[in-house]
């Protein structure tokens, strides 16, 4: 299976369990790796035979900006399901970064990484 990666998609969302997270929002960063067979698209040099990563990126940003959830695990699952709606995508790895998580000690990042596939 081939891989198409999108790294560093940024969007503001209102996800989290604390009221201030819901009210103020924060930036979330998403990395995606789409698993698909790119041979048909490459053979015909045809965008319609592969996942249009520009459209996927817009849809992922819309999920982050959309309905708030408590957990980044839930957010990652919603993103994965949005990616798998694209017929060509057979598998997706989603990493959601929450660099401004409300943690009381110094840290660089909080992430969740999930892998989902068509079964």
């Amino acid at each position: 299976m081939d891989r198409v990666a999108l790294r560093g998609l940024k969007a503001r969302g209102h996800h989290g369990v604390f009221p201030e997270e819901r009210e103020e929002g924060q930036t979330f960063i998403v990395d995606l790796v789409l698993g698909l067979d790119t041979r048909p698209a490459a053979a015909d040099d045809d965008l319609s035979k592969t996942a249009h990563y520009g459209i996927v990126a817009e849809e992922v940003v819309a999920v982050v900006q959309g309905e708030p959830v408590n957990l980044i695990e839930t957010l990652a699952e919603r993103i994965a399901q949005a990616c798998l709606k694209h017929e060509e995508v057979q598998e997706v790895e989603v990493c959601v970064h929450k660099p401004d998580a409300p943690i009381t000690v110094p840290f660089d990042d909080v992430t969740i990484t999930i892998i989902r596939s068509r079964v």
Side-chain angles (χ1 to χ4, degrees), residues 1 77 80-81 84-85 87 89-92 115-119:
M1 194 174 316
E77 185 66 35
Q81 294 310 313
L84 289 171
K85 286 182 181 177
E87 183 178 325
V89 178
Q90 297 301 306
E91 180 180 273
V92 62
I115 299 172
R116 298 293 182 266
S117 61
R118 298 181 186 277
V119 179

Side-chain angles (χ1 to χ4, degrees), residues 92-104:
V92 62
E93 178 179 306
V94 177
C95 179
V96 175
H97 301 255
K98 189 174 179 179
D100 299 320
I103 297 175
T104 61

Side-chain angles (χ1 to χ4, degrees), residues 2-10 28-36 50-61 79 82-83 86 89 91-97 113:
D2 303 317
R3 304 275 183 227
V4 173
L6 290 90
R7 306 270 186 218
L9 295 171
K10 293 180 185 171
F28 292 85
I29 302 166
V30 179
D31 300 325
L32 300 174
V33 180
L34 308 174
L36 63 157
T50 189
H52 189 311
Y53 53 79
I55 291 173
V56 171
E58 291 171 0
E59 292 171 353
V60 167
V61 166
I79 292 168
C83 293
H86 292 266
V89 178
E91 180 180 273
V92 62
E93 178 179 306
V94 177
C95 179
V96 175
H97 301 255
T113 301

